[in-house]
Amino acid sequence: MTDDDLLPPMPDFDPKATRRAVRRGVARTALTVLAALLALVLAATVGSGLVQRRGDRELRMTDVLGTAFKIYNPAYDIEVRSWGATTPLSMSFTVAARPMRAIGGFVEGYGGAEHVVTQDFFGHVGRLPLGTYAGTTLSRALMNVGTTLQRKEDGRKVLARLPEELNALAVVEFARPLTPDELVAFTAGHKSYAEKVVLERRPGSIPITWGGMTMWDRAPMTGADDEPIKSDFGNFRRWVGILEDHDDDNLHDFDLSLARLRKAANDGLAYAYVDSMSTIAQLRKIIEDPQVRTVRLADVTYDLERP
């Protein structure tokens, strides 16, 4: 007996069974590959999300970029509302922006229009809304600080043409920059309100402006006895203090730089301020102060509830 005699007889070839076996094999292979790909995609998605959210990266994104966005748009009241989606390639957060108006004026969209600010996987900020292209009357008034486009006499003429009871939104520019103590004394003497303070002179461009809703979201609440202007200067210095050298690239996208921000923080000087609560009558007195270079109106409105 040979070895061949010991082998079981070969079954007859069944084409249908063979095809079924091949299909089962292909199906098992495809399912295995798909499961592996799905696992890789999930690992990449979850892993990249964890990498992007490592440490306090999300919180620091809103601290740095959210606040820079506010400085980039000083003619708006801006609220950083929430973090957006974290994808494998980016993180984002939502802001609500409402143009500043004179007290009592109509503002389209009470809560403000929403915009999204995005940072990619490598930490670079995406295309930004608003900014110098917003072109509001207040942004133009701020860009004119330090220019000769409106002299003091021009400001007087504008104010003289308007009824004195109108509420106004105005930029009050100083002949020389004031210290925080001097600004406190000036606004107290004129019963004026410095809602935002211009911290540099930058003719033809948006200057660094701080205050109101521009303040750093995580700045500590001040006590009731703290002077708001001094608190604003202190909060600005604290925010500049968290900035690092690697932030400079992103800051340039917001038309800012570490050098300018640090200089403004160290100098601590007020070149102008934004007042949204004074009347035309009050501004007529303010412009006559020898410390004032000029007053630029950005908006006026009449308070219908005024007796």
Side-chain angles (χ1 to χ4, degrees), residues 157-225:
K157 290 177 181 178
V158 172
L159 294 172
R161 291 198 298 265
L162 296 169
E164 64 178 14
E165 69 274 11
L166 293 182
N167 296 328
L169 173 68
V171 175
V172 178
E173 181 183 352
F174 296 114
R176 65 165 183 83
L178 303 187
T179 66
D181 287 333
E182 290 172 330
L183 181 58
V184 170
F186 180 91
T187 53
H190 288 285
K191 295 182 173 57
S192 182
Y193 175 59
E195 184 164 353
K196 295 184 178 183
V197 179
V198 179
L199 301 174
E200 65 175 350
R201 183 174 287 137
R202 194 173 177 232
S205 300
I206 293 291
I208 296 170
T209 305
W210 184 272
M213 292 183 70
T214 307
M215 69 160 35
W216 178 23
D217 285 345
R218 291 205 298 134
M221 297 297 291
T222 57
D225 296 330

Side-chain angles (χ1 to χ4, degrees), residues 36 117 245:
V117 178
D245 290 345

Side-chain angles (χ1 to χ4, degrees), residues 72-73 75-76 99 130-141 143 206 298:
Y72 183 55
N73 294 285
Y76 288 78
L130 301 177
T132 55
Y133 301 103
T136 67
T137 52
L138 179 54
S139 64
R140 289 194 294 271
M143 291 173 69
I206 293 291

Side-chain angles (χ1 to χ4, degrees), residues 67 70-72 74 141-143 145-146 171-174 176-181 183-184 194-203 205-212 214-216 228-241 243 255-274:
T67 305
K70 295 179 179 183
I71 300 175
Y72 183 55
L142 289 168
M143 291 173 69
V145 170
V171 175
V172 178
E173 181 183 352
F174 296 114
R176 65 165 183 83
L178 303 187
T179 66
D181 287 333
L183 181 58
V184 170
E195 184 164 353
K196 295 184 178 183
V197 179
V198 179
L199 301 174
E200 65 175 350
R201 183 174 287 137
R202 194 173 177 232
S205 300
I206 293 291
I208 296 170
T209 305
W210 184 272
T214 307
M215 69 160 35
W216 178 23
I229 290 174
K230 294 182 180 180
S231 295
D232 280 349
F233 274 91
N235 288 334
F236 176 68
R237 285 192 295 271
R238 287 185 64 253
W239 178 72
V240 173
L243 300 177
D255 194 27
L256 296 168
S257 72
L258 272 175
R260 284 173 50 219
L261 288 166
R262 287 169 176 169
K263 183 179 186 305
N266 290 332
D267 291 348
L269 296 174
Y271 290 81
Y273 70 92
V274 178

Side-chain angles (χ1 to χ4, degrees), residues 24-244:
R24 285 195 297 271
V26 171
R28 282 195 295 268
T29 301
L31 288 174
T32 302
V33 171
L34 287 174
L37 288 174
L38 180 60
L40 287 173
V41 169
L42 288 174
T45 302
V46 174
S48 65
L50 291 174
V51 168
Q52 293 200 78
R53 291 191 298 269
R54 66 189 182 276
D56 63 347
R57 196 164 182 259
E58 269 187 322
L59 185 58
R60 193 172 190 280
M61 178 179 67
T62 54
D63 282 349
V64 175
L65 302 187
T67 305
F69 185 78
K70 295 179 179 183
I71 300 175
Y72 183 55
N73 294 285
Y76 288 78
D77 286 324
I78 294 173
E79 175 189 1
V80 177
R81 287 193 166 172
S82 63
W83 290 313
T86 299
T87 72
L89 298 178
S90 67
M91 293 191 301
S92 63
F93 61 91
T94 302
V95 299
R98 184 178 64 249
M100 290 184 65
R101 299 291 305 272
I103 295 299
F106 173 76
V107 178
E108 184 177 356
Y110 177 77
E114 288 197 344
H115 302 277
V116 177
V117 178
T118 302
Q119 176 179 285
D120 68 20
F121 183 81
F122 300 101
H124 300 142
V125 68
R127 184 176 181 275
L128 294 169
L130 301 177
T132 55
Y133 301 103
T136 67
T137 52
L138 179 54
S139 64
R140 289 194 294 271
L142 289 168
M143 291 173 69
N144 286 336
V145 170
T147 70
T148 58
L149 294 179
Q150 181 179 300
R151 298 167 300 174
K152 193 164 190 171
E153 184 57 36
D154 299 324
R156 287 193 187 103
K157 290 177 181 178
V158 172
L159 294 172
R161 291 198 298 265
L162 296 169
E164 64 178 14
E165 69 274 11
L166 293 182
N167 296 328
L169 173 68
V171 175
V172 178
E173 181 183 352
F174 296 114
R176 65 165 183 83
L178 303 187
T179 66
D181 287 333
E182 290 172 330
L183 181 58
V184 170
F186 180 91
T187 53
H190 288 285
K191 295 182 173 57
S192 182
Y193 175 59
E195 184 164 353
K196 295 184 178 183
V197 179
V198 179
L199 301 174
E200 65 175 350
R201 183 174 287 137
R202 194 173 177 232
S205 300
I206 293 291
I208 296 170
T209 305
W210 184 272
M213 292 183 70
T214 307
M215 69 160 35
W216 178 23
D217 285 345
R218 291 205 298 134
M221 297 297 291
T222 57
D225 296 330
D226 288 348
E227 212 298 313
I229 290 174
K230 294 182 180 180
S231 295
D232 280 349
F233 274 91
N235 288 334
F236 176 68
R237 285 192 295 271
R238 287 185 64 253
W239 178 72
V240 173
I242 75 168
L243 300 177
E244 300 176 6

